[in-house]
Amino acid sequence: MSRLPRAGMLDITGLLASERQAFLEVLRCLDGAAWQLPTECPSWTVKGIALHVLGDDLSLLSRQRDEATNGLITFAAEHPGLGFRQLLDGFNEQWVHAATFLSEALVVELLRLTGEWTARYYSDVDPDARGEPVGFFGARGPSPYWQISAREYMERWIHQHQVRRAAGLSDLGEPFLHAAAGVGARSLAANLSELGAKPGASLGLSIPGLGSWTLEREEQRWALFDGSSGHQTAELAVDPALATAVLSRALTASEAERAFATSGDEALARSALAEMAKMVGRPAPA
């Protein structure tokens, strides 16, 4: 049993307003041509991503704060026979296509407003109160709101970096990266398969100079701890210069694997790395 502190609730609500402010500053500096730049999201321009983030804000405010019918349920009723991924992609694409007529200035103003509303809502709601399931953390039933807001932060952080890369702008910086890494580590612990590891085996994750986490195999799952004992069964360390690119899905799975150095039990390290790279890697170009 690890003597490290167990990684528990991660409160990212204090970063929501500053992340949104940084996103607005990026969008305000873009000219009309830059809004039409292609991004790593298939078929979406910079404007498409901005509209998607706005749609997410409106959706979560409606279904979570106001307890309205989830728009995905309505979309599913109108499109029987589709799988979840097809439904989600179709629902998102429908909104982006319908909202394309909005002016860039109005999109920025609406994102400012919905950013304020969502930050206030997530700050006010009880972080342990139960809401919708968050599959990102392996949940099949109602999830605590700290996980719901953490998932939202991660998605916003990823999309903002997709826009930044399209426009040739620098990354957000370490405080935002550290929070995203903490969210990602919790998701990995919830979704990583057994990998043939026996109870007590441990897997270290680190961004040198920024943070480290340890996954320890229990009977039925991986438990996550903050920090490193220095005696893990295997260790994965990502190049700090590539950490944002890895976690914000800028790299393919094979590129993401090459961003890590491994040590310790090679079989465990390589198996874990291959599985993690599939989670964070973007599809390779056709």
Side-chain angles (χ1 to χ4, degrees):
M1 176 68 70
S2 176
R3 295 184 179 180
L4 295 169
R6 190 176 288 264
M9 182 188 79
L10 182 62
D11 183 5
I12 53 75
T13 55
L15 287 174
L16 291 175
S18 52
E19 185 279 330
R20 178 54 54 89
Q21 182 59 36
F23 190 39
L24 295 175
E25 290 172 1
V26 167
L27 295 178
R28 287 178 180 131
C29 81
L30 301 179
D31 60 21
W35 278 80
Q36 301 307 317
L37 287 170
T39 71
E40 297 150 1
C41 286
S43 78
W44 283 356
T45 61
V46 165
K47 184 174 183 179
I49 287 182
L51 289 171
H52 169 61
V53 174
L54 175 61
D56 270 358
D57 284 358
L58 295 172
S59 177
L60 69 86
L61 286 164
S62 293
R63 70 180 191 269
Q64 294 174 12
R65 187 192 67 181
D66 302 337
E67 300 181 352
T69 300
N70 190 329
L72 194 59
I73 294 175
T74 303
F75 187 82
E78 297 170 350
H79 299 81
L82 296 183
F84 176 76
R85 188 73 249 178
Q86 292 173 305
L87 287 170
L88 185 60
D89 289 346
F91 177 72
N92 289 334
E93 187 59 42
Q94 176 181 258
W95 159 259
V96 170
H97 179 73
T100 301
F101 73 94
L102 295 175
S103 70
E104 287 83 1
L106 183 56
V107 172
V108 170
E109 182 64 8
L110 290 173
L111 281 168
R112 181 186 66 80
L113 289 170
T114 57
E116 292 174 359
W117 296 338
T118 53
R120 184 182 308 123
Y121 175 65
Y122 284 138
S123 294
D124 290 346
V125 71
D126 180 352
D128 291 319
R130 299 285 161 164
E132 62 194 30
V134 181
F136 186 66
F137 294 112
R140 296 185 178 180
S143 296
Y145 260 91
W146 73 262
Q147 290 187 351
I148 294 172
S149 59
R151 173 197 60 190
E152 189 62 27
Y153 171 81
M154 191 70 171
E155 181 167 0
R156 292 178 181 186
W157 181 81
I158 289 171
H159 285 317
Q160 178 167 172
H161 280 95
Q162 290 168 337
V163 168
R164 284 174 172 270
R165 285 190 288 270
L169 301 175
S170 60
D171 296 342
L172 264 174
E174 287 191 356
F176 298 97
L177 171 58
H178 188 271
V183 175
R186 284 161 174 78
S187 176
L188 180 65
N191 292 289
L192 192 65
S193 68
E194 182 184 0
L195 300 177
K198 297 180 180 179
S202 58
L203 177 67
L205 306 171
S206 68
I207 305 175
L210 184 68
S212 59
W213 298 264
T214 298
L215 283 76
E216 184 174 297
R217 185 66 192 174
E218 297 181 341
E219 287 293 339
Q220 300 295 327
R221 66 187 186 113
W222 291 94
L224 182 68
F225 299 86
D226 289 321
S228 170
S229 67
H231 303 289
Q232 290 89 349
T233 308
E235 174 83 20
L236 303 177
V238 65
D239 182 343
L242 295 175
T244 293
V246 169
L247 292 174
S248 62
R249 310 197 70 178
L251 308 180
T252 64
S254 60
E255 290 169 339
E257 284 193 56
R258 292 195 292 272
F260 284 82
T262 64
S263 59
D265 185 313
E266 189 69 9
L268 177 59
R270 286 295 168 188
S271 296
L273 181 54
E275 199 164 306
M276 181 169 62
K278 290 180 181 178
M279 296 178 189
V280 300
R282 65 179 174 87

